[in-house]
């Protein structure tokens, strides 16, 4: 089993910054992509940013130039640095990881419990 534990959410004023962290633990052979999704009230969950094992990244258009995703493969941790935040960034942010538990098992998707980010105007 794999657990994803997020931290770093909270309340910030518009224009401010927050850094989210998500650490994976448990039975891990290989972590493929890691990423962040968010879900605002009344809206569908959407991809914010993803980083693959080789380091390539993709971002939602709404956060390009403001958010940066990174990962520490030794610590099995992914980060999301959020700068110049806007009220529309307010959402519950979920960590995601695609993890192979062993060399002979297929990779599966795992999710964190979510962390609230609120940006006040």
């Amino acid at each position: 089993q794999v657990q994803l534990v997020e931290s770093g959410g909270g309340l910030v004023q518009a224009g401010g910054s927050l850094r989210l962290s998500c650490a994976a633990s448990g039975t891990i052979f290989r972590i493929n992509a890691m990423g962040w999704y968010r879900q605002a009230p009344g809206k569908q969950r959407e991809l914010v940013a993803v980083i693959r094992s080789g380091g390539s990244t993709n971002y939602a258009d709404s956060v390009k130039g403001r958010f940066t995703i990174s990962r520490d493969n030794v610590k099995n941790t992914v980060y999301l640095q959020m700068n110049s935040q806007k009220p529309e960034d307010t959402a519950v942010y979920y960590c995601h990881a695609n993890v192979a538990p062993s060399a002979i098992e297929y990779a599966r998707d795992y999710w964190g419990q979510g962390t609230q980010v609120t940006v006040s105007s």
Side-chain angles (χ1 to χ4, degrees), residues 27-108:
T27 307
I28 298 172
F29 171 71
R30 182 186 66 250
I31 301 178
N32 300 316
M34 300 184 82
W36 293 93
Y37 289 70
R38 68 186 180 187
Q39 187 167 18
K43 295 188 176 181
Q44 290 188 333
R45 189 175 297 189
E46 64 174 359
L47 174 68
V48 177
V50 61
I51 183 166
R52 298 170 187 83
S53 57
S56 62
T57 59
N58 284 99
Y59 295 91
D61 288 342
S62 58
V63 307
K64 282 181 181 176
R66 301 188 298 120
F67 290 12
T68 302
I69 190 170
S70 61
R71 64 191 280 176
D72 184 327
N73 291 327
V74 173
K75 295 181 179 180
N76 291 334
T77 299
V78 62
Y79 306 96
L80 186 68
Q81 178 66 43
M82 304 183 290
N83 298 329
S84 303
Q85 289 195 263
K86 305 175 181 180
E88 49 264 42
D89 294 326
T90 296
V92 177
Y93 284 69
Y94 296 92
C95 174
H96 165 266
N98 184 257
V99 181
S102 71
I104 60 172
E105 294 179 79
Y106 289 111
R108 296 169 228 168

Side-chain angles (χ1 to χ4, degrees), residues 8-31:
L11 175 65
V12 65
Q13 288 189 332
S17 298
L18 281 176
R19 188 190 194 212
L20 304 182
S21 300
C22 172
S25 63
T27 307
I28 298 172
F29 171 71
R30 182 186 66 250
I31 301 178

